[in-house]
């Protein structure tokens, strides 16, 4: 969907003449009341569910969650997935030409976008689709921040918000991990200040390091020990005594993940999206009071966290629960005892999926009694 | 101290014609029974205590612990600090010429050294100093691994071992963090396969990233929040909306630490030392049984861990305690409720220092009754 009118951004800049890639699943009902907006995290896109014809490997990133008969049942709900502005999966981003710049690529000039900006752009997409109110907005991690922000920026347009493995803001440790990843990218000689496109190169070294750090922190210590432990790559079980070559399976896994990521992810997008994570902090404009910040929300909430998630720990979700309850909001909260760390929000855990299934059954029931 | 005779290494290689830098504090007593060997971790040296004349900033890395009247009282004990082989603070390392190679620098050819090799080299130093038995061997983190290994390689030469914030081996997560740091160094174009000396450059980008990762993981989430939180660098409290420049104080701190480190630490040493950490695993030769591995130890033990240390967590120290108790060893164990993460072992915490003080008072008492 093309948008010509300028979208004002929180930075004071604005962006015009941009595209948003989106997909929809299921059918919008007659009174346009069954729409569910799905917001994505760092590494995902508008392609939330299903596979493209003839491409069996093209499964959507939340395919365990969304589809016919699934927890978010596309036989009852009209699901909208949208790729965020500045991302690299179809919506306008740093790798695209800037309108009116004679074909020049945005590169490092792409404006800084925030969670709030994304929500505004998603609201415009809703307008264009003729949808006034969402049955639900949902997302995990950074996607959960967007879902939360929807309830604050457009409270009247959201009936339910499903916020999974998320937080009211990032801790210093999380900002720190983002910063190391960004430094790895920015100091890669192939980054060229963000204008690497013109040089025909990609800062792969930096992207690899960024992804390796990400992978470590999205998993729990326990699950890494279970999956890899101290297993050597060489099956003879003998050390090779090398500092630069691979010894342990975990090293092999991380290098593989880093290589794969560096082949498809855009370096400027990585900077933009991690910065949006850093900046999100709705309590900031309320003297640090999350209770005051969430007073605007009128949606009903389902929050979910995972016990072994140390990047978006249960403690952070409980802060949200507390602040919402203080505002007498309708809140359901589930803390899932899954071993997989932050990654759990993308995985198939029946306890987790059943909680969401029940919640969406409730949303459908409520709608049918209105 | 120069050693001409070849030291056989666990890799099958050997090294000859090498130097070990060491310092001693206090006086060796008449029966040579009051020697304490202090083993260092990644970033430290033989300079464990005190300041050099005219250099007030040259405080030893464990100066809170060691000195006249301190927990390890150099008025009673003869303390030996030694810089590990392959390190970059005086002992022979990758930046030195290889003997008989016409002045050519070791570089990437420096042999892989293990915790066991370091202990053997330290034992040779003891021989040269005419000391048969140590009153104690002590160390934190990687230094604790060396102290533990002393009790297994030379059980008859160690009366007490003080093992702080250490572990019987690294978890997959720890190996993973080491590997990311190594990849950042090795893929820095200025690394030149480890032979950067000849090119007159230093892989600073990689060293910076390595150090930033280290810093994050040595601190606890709580202490980072307390120290930095989400404080912006600009005192006006307004976001600058930038992806490449500094916004948060934590970013500024990390960049500073990375820069400082990259100016003095050797990249090949970083690889060697993190690899020694990865390799250490005394249970490995005993079918994974730590109990069987520790059966050889005859020393008495003090183990200390810190509750918020997530790289060398209390759980890992408890594994050591359990295996030692199984072998009916004399074990004291303290778990200190300090907020500082892994870094706590280097900091001044009265509960921690008092435990060590009492333990060394006991060692001195025992010696005077023999």
């Amino acid at each position: 969907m093309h948008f010509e009118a300028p979208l004002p951004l929180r930075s004071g800049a604005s962006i015009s003449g941009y595209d948003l890639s989106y997909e929809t699943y299921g059918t919008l009902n007659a009174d346009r009341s069954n729409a569910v907006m799905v917001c994505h995290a760092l590494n995902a896109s508008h392609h939330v569910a299903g596979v493209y014809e003839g491409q069996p490997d093209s499964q959507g990133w939340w395919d365990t969650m969304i589809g016919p008969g699934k927890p978010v049942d596309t036989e009852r709900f009209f699901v909208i997935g949208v790729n965020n502005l500045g991302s690299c999966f179809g919506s306008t981003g740093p790798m695209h030409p800037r309108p009116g710049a004679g074909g020049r690529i945005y590169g490092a000039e792409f404006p800084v976008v925030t969670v709030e900006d994304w929500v505004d752009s998603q609201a415009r997409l809703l307008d264009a689709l003729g949808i006034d109110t969402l049955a639900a907005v949902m997302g995990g991690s950074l996607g959960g921040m967007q879902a939360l922000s929807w309830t604050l920026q457009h409270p009247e347009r959201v009936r339910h918000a499903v916020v999974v493995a998320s937080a009211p803001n990032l801790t210093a440790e999380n900002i720190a991990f983002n910063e190391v990843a960004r430094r790895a990218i920015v100091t890669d000689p192939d980054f060229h200040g963000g204008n690497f496109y013109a040089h025909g190169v990609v800062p792969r070294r930096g992207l690899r390091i960024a992804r390796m750090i990400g992978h470590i922190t999205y998993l729990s210590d326990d699950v890494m020990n279970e999956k890899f432990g101290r297993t050597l790559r060489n099956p003879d079980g003998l050390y090779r005594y090398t500092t630069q070559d691979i010894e342990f399976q975990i090293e092999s896994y991380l290098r593989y993940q880093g290589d794969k990521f560096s082949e498809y992810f855009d370096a400027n997008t990585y900077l933009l999206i991690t910065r949006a994570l850093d900046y999100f902090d709705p309590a900031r404009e309320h003297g640090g009071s999350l209770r005051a910040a969430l007073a605007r929300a009128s949606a009903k909430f389902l929050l979910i966290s995972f016990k072994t998630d140390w990047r978006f720990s249960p403690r952070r979700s409980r802060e949200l629960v507390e602040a919402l309850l203080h505002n007498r909001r309708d809140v359901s909260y589930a803390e899932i005892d899954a071993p997989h760390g932050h990654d759990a929000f993308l995985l198939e855990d029946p306890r987790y999926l059943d909680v969401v299934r029940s919640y969406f059954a409730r949303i459908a029931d409520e709608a049918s009694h209105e």
Side-chain angles (χ1 to χ4, degrees), chain A residues 291 294-295 297-301 321-331:
Chain A
R291 289 177 171 188
L294 301 194
S298 57
K300 296 170 182 169
F301 282 83
V321 170
E322 192 279 334
L324 289 166
L325 289 178
H326 173 82
N327 286 298
R328 298 166 185 256
R329 291 283 79 78
D330 181 325
V331 186

mmCIF file of all heavy atoms in Angstrom, chain A residues 291 294-295 297-301 321-331:
data_model
loop_
_atom_site.group_PDB
_atom_site.id
_atom_site.type_symbol
_atom_site.label_atom_id
_atom_site.label_comp_id
_atom_site.label_asym_id
_atom_site.label_seq_id
_atom_site.Cartn_x
_atom_site.Cartn_y
_atom_site.Cartn_z
ATOM 1 N N ARG A 291 2.274 3.696 35.844
ATOM 2 C CA ARG A 291 0.851 3.779 36.168
ATOM 3 C C ARG A 291 0.200 4.961 35.454
ATOM 4 O O ARG A 291 -0.865 4.830 34.849
ATOM 5 C CB ARG A 291 0.672 3.950 37.673
ATOM 6 C CG ARG A 291 0.993 2.715 38.476
ATOM 7 C CD ARG A 291 0.848 3.035 39.953
ATOM 8 N NE ARG A 291 0.946 1.842 40.777
ATOM 9 C CZ ARG A 291 0.696 1.845 42.081
ATOM 10 N NH1 ARG A 291 0.319 2.965 42.698
ATOM 11 N NH2 ARG A 291 0.793 0.714 42.774
ATOM 12 N N LEU A 294 -0.029 4.370 31.616
ATOM 13 C CA LEU A 294 -1.011 3.394 31.143
ATOM 14 C C LEU A 294 -2.448 3.801 31.461
ATOM 15 O O LEU A 294 -3.389 3.108 31.079
ATOM 16 C CB LEU A 294 -0.710 2.000 31.723
ATOM 17 C CG LEU A 294 0.679 1.417 31.398
ATOM 18 C CD1 LEU A 294 0.723 -0.074 31.719
ATOM 19 C CD2 LEU A 294 1.074 1.642 29.940
ATOM 20 N N ALA A 295 -2.629 4.916 32.132
ATOM 21 C CA ALA A 295 -3.985 5.379 32.473
ATOM 22 C C ALA A 295 -4.829 5.601 31.218
ATOM 23 O O ALA A 295 -6.051 5.474 31.255
ATOM 24 C CB ALA A 295 -3.906 6.666 33.297
ATOM 25 N N ALA A 297 -4.945 3.770 28.541
ATOM 26 C CA ALA A 297 -5.384 2.543 27.875
ATOM 27 C C ALA A 297 -6.809 2.195 28.300
ATOM 28 O O ALA A 297 -7.155 2.297 29.474
ATOM 29 C CB ALA A 297 -4.445 1.398 28.226
ATOM 30 N N SER A 298 -7.626 1.799 27.329
ATOM 31 C CA SER A 298 -8.962 1.319 27.698
ATOM 32 C C SER A 298 -9.173 -0.121 27.242
ATOM 33 O O SER A 298 -10.196 -0.724 27.533
ATOM 34 C CB SER A 298 -10.029 2.239 27.105
ATOM 35 O OG SER A 298 -9.866 2.313 25.706
ATOM 36 N N ALA A 299 -8.211 -0.693 26.539
ATOM 37 C CA ALA A 299 -8.331 -2.070 26.054
ATOM 38 C C ALA A 299 -8.307 -3.052 27.215
ATOM 39 O O ALA A 299 -7.924 -2.705 28.332
ATOM 40 C CB ALA A 299 -7.180 -2.378 25.104
ATOM 41 N N LYS A 300 -8.736 -4.271 26.908
ATOM 42 C CA LYS A 300 -8.498 -5.397 27.815
ATOM 43 C C LYS A 300 -7.178 -6.045 27.396
ATOM 44 O O LYS A 300 -6.823 -6.022 26.212
ATOM 45 C CB LYS A 300 -9.638 -6.398 27.736
ATOM 46 C CG LYS A 300 -10.962 -5.794 28.217
ATOM 47 C CD LYS A 300 -12.141 -6.701 27.924
ATOM 48 C CE LYS A 300 -13.429 -6.032 28.383
ATOM 49 N NZ LYS A 300 -14.625 -6.730 27.890
ATOM 50 N N PHE A 301 -6.484 -6.626 28.377
ATOM 51 C CA PHE A 301 -5.119 -7.100 28.113
ATOM 52 C C PHE A 301 -4.927 -8.574 28.424
ATOM 53 O O PHE A 301 -5.434 -9.078 29.436
ATOM 54 C CB PHE A 301 -4.116 -6.323 28.991
ATOM 55 C CG PHE A 301 -3.793 -4.948 28.491
ATOM 56 C CD1 PHE A 301 -4.639 -3.877 28.780
ATOM 57 C CD2 PHE A 301 -2.664 -4.724 27.726
ATOM 58 C CE1 PHE A 301 -4.341 -2.608 28.317
ATOM 59 C CE2 PHE A 301 -2.362 -3.449 27.266
ATOM 60 C CZ PHE A 301 -3.201 -2.382 27.555
ATOM 61 N N VAL A 321 1.543 -5.514 34.345
ATOM 62 C CA VAL A 321 0.322 -6.022 34.986
ATOM 63 C C VAL A 321 -0.040 -5.123 36.168
ATOM 64 O O VAL A 321 -1.189 -4.682 36.320
ATOM 65 C CB VAL A 321 0.516 -7.482 35.454
ATOM 66 C CG1 VAL A 321 -0.654 -7.933 36.332
ATOM 67 C CG2 VAL A 321 0.677 -8.410 34.247
ATOM 68 N N GLU A 322 0.957 -4.832 36.984
ATOM 69 C CA GLU A 322 0.711 -4.011 38.177
ATOM 70 C C GLU A 322 0.148 -2.644 37.789
ATOM 71 O O GLU A 322 -0.836 -2.171 38.367
ATOM 72 C CB GLU A 322 2.029 -3.876 38.955
ATOM 73 C CG GLU A 322 1.886 -3.305 40.355
ATOM 74 C CD GLU A 322 1.769 -1.785 40.394
ATOM 75 O OE1 GLU A 322 2.271 -1.109 39.455
ATOM 76 O OE2 GLU A 322 1.159 -1.281 41.363
ATOM 77 N N ALA A 323 0.777 -2.012 36.790
ATOM 78 C CA ALA A 323 0.354 -0.661 36.400
ATOM 79 C C ALA A 323 -1.041 -0.682 35.778
ATOM 80 O O ALA A 323 -1.831 0.249 35.971
ATOM 81 C CB ALA A 323 1.362 -0.054 35.433
ATOM 82 N N LEU A 324 -1.359 -1.744 35.039
ATOM 83 C CA LEU A 324 -2.696 -1.854 34.443
ATOM 84 C C LEU A 324 -3.747 -2.106 35.518
ATOM 85 O O LEU A 324 -4.835 -1.516 35.492
ATOM 86 C CB LEU A 324 -2.720 -2.969 33.389
ATOM 87 C CG LEU A 324 -1.945 -2.657 32.096
ATOM 88 C CD1 LEU A 324 -1.732 -3.919 31.277
ATOM 89 C CD2 LEU A 324 -2.677 -1.593 31.273
ATOM 90 N N LEU A 325 -3.420 -2.978 36.462
ATOM 91 C CA LEU A 325 -4.377 -3.261 37.547
ATOM 92 C C LEU A 325 -4.619 -2.001 38.379
ATOM 93 O O LEU A 325 -5.746 -1.733 38.800
ATOM 94 C CB LEU A 325 -3.863 -4.401 38.438
ATOM 95 C CG LEU A 325 -3.892 -5.789 37.800
ATOM 96 C CD1 LEU A 325 -3.303 -6.822 38.765
ATOM 97 C CD2 LEU A 325 -5.317 -6.190 37.391
ATOM 98 N N HIS A 326 -3.561 -1.254 38.595
ATOM 99 C CA HIS A 326 -3.712 0.012 39.320
ATOM 100 C C HIS A 326 -4.743 0.910 38.633
ATOM 101 O O HIS A 326 -5.490 1.629 39.286
ATOM 102 C CB HIS A 326 -2.367 0.728 39.406
ATOM 103 C CG HIS A 326 -2.470 2.099 39.989
ATOM 104 N ND1 HIS A 326 -2.526 2.321 41.349
ATOM 105 C CD2 HIS A 326 -2.571 3.321 39.396
ATOM 106 C CE1 HIS A 326 -2.652 3.626 41.575
ATOM 107 N NE2 HIS A 326 -2.672 4.251 40.410
ATOM 108 N N ASN A 327 -4.764 0.832 37.304
ATOM 109 C CA ASN A 327 -5.733 1.620 36.533
ATOM 110 C C ASN A 327 -7.055 0.887 36.330
ATOM 111 O O ASN A 327 -7.857 1.275 35.486
ATOM 112 C CB ASN A 327 -5.117 2.006 35.178
ATOM 113 C CG ASN A 327 -4.076 3.110 35.309
ATOM 114 O OD1 ASN A 327 -4.396 4.213 35.741
ATOM 115 N ND2 ASN A 327 -2.831 2.811 34.965
ATOM 116 N N ARG A 328 -7.236 -0.200 37.100
ATOM 117 C CA ARG A 328 -8.479 -0.993 37.057
ATOM 118 C C ARG A 328 -8.797 -1.495 35.654
ATOM 119 O O ARG A 328 -9.961 -1.565 35.257
ATOM 120 C CB ARG A 328 -9.657 -0.162 37.596
ATOM 121 C CG ARG A 328 -9.440 0.210 39.043
ATOM 122 C CD ARG A 328 -10.386 1.287 39.481
ATOM 123 N NE ARG A 328 -10.059 1.685 40.849
ATOM 124 C CZ ARG A 328 -10.763 1.333 41.923
ATOM 125 N NH1 ARG A 328 -11.830 0.574 41.811
ATOM 126 N NH2 ARG A 328 -10.394 1.732 43.119
ATOM 127 N N ARG A 329 -7.765 -1.851 34.944
ATOM 128 C CA ARG A 329 -7.973 -2.451 33.627
ATOM 129 C C ARG A 329 -8.239 -3.948 33.792
ATOM 130 O O ARG A 329 -7.940 -4.554 34.806
ATOM 131 C CB ARG A 329 -6.737 -2.242 32.727
ATOM 132 C CG ARG A 329 -6.489 -0.811 32.291
ATOM 133 C CD ARG A 329 -7.430 -0.360 31.154
ATOM 134 N NE ARG A 329 -8.765 0.003 31.630
ATOM 135 C CZ ARG A 329 -9.088 1.148 32.234
ATOM 136 N NH1 ARG A 329 -8.160 2.068 32.442
ATOM 137 N NH2 ARG A 329 -10.324 1.396 32.629
ATOM 138 N N ASP A 330 -8.843 -4.508 32.754
ATOM 139 C CA ASP A 330 -9.135 -5.944 32.694
ATOM 140 C C ASP A 330 -7.870 -6.639 32.174
ATOM 141 O O ASP A 330 -7.506 -6.471 31.013
ATOM 142 C CB ASP A 330 -10.316 -6.140 31.741
ATOM 143 C CG ASP A 330 -10.749 -7.584 31.605
ATOM 144 O OD1 ASP A 330 -9.887 -8.484 31.653
ATOM 145 O OD2 ASP A 330 -11.961 -7.819 31.433
ATOM 146 N N VAL A 331 -7.169 -7.391 33.046
ATOM 147 C CA VAL A 331 -5.871 -7.963 32.680
ATOM 148 C C VAL A 331 -5.824 -9.458 32.951
ATOM 149 O O VAL A 331 -6.154 -9.895 34.061
ATOM 150 C CB VAL A 331 -4.717 -7.314 33.488
ATOM 151 C CG1 VAL A 331 -3.367 -7.815 32.994
ATOM 152 C CG2 VAL A 331 -4.786 -5.812 33.435
#
